[in-house]
């Protein structure tokens, strides 16, 4: 899977965590209708386990079996692809019978055995570049995946997602130079709109992260304007203020509609803007 294979924008979207079937169903219907209206390829996402929560007291999720059952019902109804993240190697095979895209979380992007297990399923793998990782170092993630795919005679199916870089304590920044650098690996590049607005570990209670949701449109437009994106990642919740995880950054149904209605047409205008960039190289 190469960047040139992407002819429509990919939108990976859904609740941060699979809190209930009612939540998943409500958000899924909303996003499915938007995908038809705006002509983008929807990958519905949610997590069965948030294994990297700040505090041991924080909600983690309903587990693999329950979440896969919900995914199966929603896939049968809407026909879209689904994504979930895995944290341990054994989970790759466990979810691959239902899940179309396996995601490697940012904190685990250098875990070789986890990546190999995901690639060996033959499913599409989305790796989030860690907040601690330079964009140029993402090439090693791609090389690990490619070597694994070659050894198993599997097609190379991978995407890289940018979600900001740590800037001191409790802050993230998005460097637009990361998009062309990561695109040199010739795999689709996704921008994580909502996680890029997080303030890690900065909530007043000291047990969770905070965020600045108000900057989501600015970051989304700026990243799109680089012309290197194949799509977007955003977390959407019917009641963000009541969410059991990432409540400071998840978008409401109305907010996601407004944002996608703006950036999907903008993506089409910007997708070839990088065509002159080679003329500026030394």
């Amino acid at each position: 899977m190469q960047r040139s294979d992407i002819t429509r924008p990919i939108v990976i979207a859904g609740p941060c965590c699979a809190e209930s079937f009612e939540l998943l169903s409500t958000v899924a219907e909303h996003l499915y209708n938007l995908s038809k209206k705006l002509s983008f390829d929807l990958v519905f996402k949610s997590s069965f386990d948030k294994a990297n929560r700040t505090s041991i007291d924080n909600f983690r999720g309903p587990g693999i079996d329950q979440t896969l059952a919900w995914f199966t019902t929603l896939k049968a109804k809407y026909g879209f692809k689904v994504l979930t993240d895995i944290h341990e190697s054994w989970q790759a095979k466990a979810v691959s019978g239902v899940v179309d895209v396996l995601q490697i979380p940012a904190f685990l992007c250098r875990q070789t055995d986890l990546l190999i297990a995901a690639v060996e399923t033959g499913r599409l793998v989305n790796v989030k570049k860690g907040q601690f990782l330079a964009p140029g170092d993402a090439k090693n993630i791609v090389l690990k995946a490619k070597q694994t795919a070659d050894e198993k005679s599997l097609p190379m199916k991978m995407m890289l997602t940018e979600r900001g870089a740590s800037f001191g304590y409790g802050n993230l920044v998005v460097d637009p130079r990361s998009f062309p650098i990561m695109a040199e690996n010739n795999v689709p590049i996704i921008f994580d709109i909502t996680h890029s607005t997080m303030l890690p570990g900065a909530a007043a209670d000291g047990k969770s992260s905070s965020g600045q949701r108000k900057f989501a449109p600015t970051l989304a437009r700026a990243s799109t304007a680089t012309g290197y994106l194949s799509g977007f990642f955003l977390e959407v919740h019917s009641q963000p203020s009541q969410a059991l995880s990432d409540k400071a950054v998840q978008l409401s149904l109305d907010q996601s509609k407004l944002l996608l209605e703006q950036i999907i047409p903008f993506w089409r205008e910007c997708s070839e803007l990088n065509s002159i960039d080679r003329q500026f190289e030394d």
Side-chain angles (χ1 to χ4, degrees):
M1 184 177 185
Q2 300 179 337
R3 291 183 61 234
S4 58
D5 296 329
I6 306 302
T7 58
R8 303 201 320 168
I10 300 166
V11 175
I12 302 169
C16 174
C17 193
E19 299 174 18
S20 68
F21 181 72
E22 180 183 9
L23 171 64
L24 295 186
S25 183
T26 297
V27 178
E29 181 179 12
H30 167 74
L31 292 170
Y32 176 79
N33 290 336
L34 279 176
S35 73
K36 295 303 179 184
K37 176 183 177 182
L38 299 175
S39 297
F40 59 78
D41 291 332
L42 173 63
V43 179
F44 184 72
K45 66 82 56 185
S46 199
S47 298
F48 61 83
D49 179 19
K50 302 299 293 183
N52 58 355
R53 296 303 304 274
T54 304
S55 170
I56 197 170
D57 298 322
N58 291 341
F59 176 77
R60 288 182 53 166
I64 288 181
D65 293 341
Q66 181 64 81
T67 304
L68 291 182
W70 290 339
F71 280 164
T72 299
T73 300
L74 293 172
K75 286 183 67 174
K77 181 175 183 179
Y78 295 109
F80 48 44
K81 295 180 178 179
V82 297
L83 171 151
T84 199
D85 43 358
I86 58 174
H87 297 84
E88 299 181 55
S89 298
W90 67 267
Q91 295 173 345
K93 185 176 181 180
V95 305
S96 63
V98 173
V99 172
D100 304 278
V101 186
L102 277 62
Q103 182 165 277
I104 307 299
F107 289 125
L108 301 177
C109 69
R110 291 184 58 175
Q111 296 298 106
T112 303
D113 290 344
L114 182 62
L115 178 60
I116 288 174
V119 173
E120 286 181 340
T121 66
R123 294 297 197 179
L124 176 59
V125 178
N126 180 43
V127 181
K128 288 196 171 184
K129 180 181 74 63
Q131 302 93 313
F132 50 84
L133 201 68
D137 290 337
K139 67 178 182 296
N140 294 309
I141 298 172
V142 177
L143 289 173
K144 289 178 184 179
K146 186 178 186 308
Q147 180 173 326
T148 301
D150 289 346
E151 290 175 352
K152 299 294 182 178
S153 299
L154 294 168
M156 171 67 171
K157 296 192 294 185
M158 184 179 200
M159 301 185 293
L160 291 173
T161 294
E162 171 63 286
R163 57 150 300 166
S166 296
F167 188 73
Y169 297 116
N171 195 19
L172 297 174
V173 297
V174 178
D175 182 353
R177 295 175 298 180
S178 67
F179 299 112
I181 293 171
M182 292 167 66
E184 291 175 358
N185 297 292
N186 201 28
V187 297
I189 303 302
I190 307 297
F191 176 54
D192 186 340
I193 297 171
T194 48
H195 283 108
S196 293
T197 69
M198 291 186 75
L199 301 176
D205 62 6
K207 294 184 177 182
S208 56
S209 294
S210 185
Q212 297 173 309
R213 181 171 31 234
K214 65 181 180 180
F215 292 124
T218 300
L219 293 176
R221 290 191 298 265
S223 62
T224 304
T226 67
Y228 285 95
L229 297 186
S230 294
F232 308 93
F233 180 109
L234 57 153
E235 292 190 327
V236 182
H237 196 287
S238 57
Q239 295 180 292
S241 64
Q242 303 301 313
L244 299 180
S245 59
D246 288 5
K247 66 181 181 180
V249 300
Q250 294 200 67
L251 304 184
S252 69
L253 303 184
D254 287 343
Q255 289 168 338
S256 64
K257 177 177 182 291
L258 287 171
L259 186 55
L260 289 170
E261 284 178 340
Q262 182 180 74
I263 63 173
I264 295 301
F266 190 41
W267 180 90
R268 294 190 167 93
E269 295 177 12
C270 296
S271 59
E272 299 299 329
L273 287 185
N274 58 58
S275 60
I276 70 166
D277 290 11
R278 293 293 182 187
Q279 307 304 315
F280 288 80
E281 294 182 354
D282 294 334

